[in-house]
Every structure is written in C-alpha cells, then in structure tokens.
Amino acid sequence: MDRKELLDCVLACCQPRRVILYGEKFVVGSRDLKSADLCIILDACDKTALLRKLYLQANMPIPVQFLLYHTEEWREMLQDAGSYASAIEKKGTVLYGEKAQG
C-alpha cells in the first residue's frame, strides 16, 4: 500500500480539512507502507462514530492508527509549541489539505 491508496481509503470515509502522515514504516527494500499513523483534522463531527467507521469500513491492508482533531481544537493545540499536535505539524507529511494552518 502506498500513501495515495492510504489517503483514498480515508477520503472514502470522511471529508477532512487535512490529513497528515506522521508515522510510517516501510517494507524493507520497498516504498510500500507496512504501517502508518494518520492525523485527520476535520470540522465538527462525532469522533467516536468516525473512528469506528475508519477502523471498520476503510479497507486497510496494513495497521493504521488514526488521531482525530476538530479544526478549532487543532488550531488551539498548535498554539502550544510543546503539544503533540505541534510535533505532528512540524514533522509530519501533509497528504491532503493545506501545508500549514493555525
């Protein structure tokens, strides 16, 4: 599975503002993902229901960890340079949406 296929699975389940890949492991000697961590920033929604949908309905052939933030929550977290959101923003790879927000 590559990054585009991973993103397509997410986009089939929701309409995010941004999707940031912040943790990934590759198959040795390949560009294929072995596992991934995704941060999804979206407008207000039921996070529990969306997580359930992502884990159950997204056809992911690899282990994927999802972290969800509402847009306003994300902006607030970015104000704290020591927050996990700030670390994701600095080190992650934006797969969908604007490069920087907040």
Side-chain angles (χ1 to χ4, degrees):
M1 170 170 259
D2 64 20
R3 290 175 177 185
K4 184 186 178 325
E5 292 169 319
L6 182 63
L7 177 60
D8 288 345
C9 287
V10 171
L11 295 177
C13 287
C14 64
Q15 297 176 340
R17 293 264 196 185
R18 299 176 76 205
V19 177
I20 304 171
L21 178 65
Y22 66 94
E24 61 189 334
K25 293 182 181 169
F26 293 98
V27 175
V28 176
S30 170
R31 292 293 301 158
D32 287 337
L33 290 170
K34 182 167 72 169
S35 67
D37 297 328
L38 288 176
C39 177
I40 302 172
I41 299 123
L42 31 65
D43 292 328
C45 71
D46 180 341
K47 286 185 186 182
T48 303
L50 179 55
L51 276 174
R52 184 178 304 117
K53 183 176 182 180
L54 285 164
Y55 281 116
L56 296 176
Q57 293 182 11
N59 187 15
M60 303 280 184
I62 62 169
V64 178
Q65 180 81 21
F66 298 105
L67 180 60
L68 303 182
Y69 284 98
H70 291 139
T71 305
E72 287 305 313
E73 179 182 32
W74 179 255
R75 288 186 181 133
E76 288 176 22
M77 295 299 292
L78 290 181
Q79 300 303 313
D80 178 358
S83 72
Y84 196 49
S86 289
I88 291 170
E89 183 70 42
K90 289 174 192 158
K91 296 181 181 185
T93 301
V94 177
L95 299 182
Y96 181 83
E98 299 173 3
K99 292 289 180 196
Q101 263 185 0

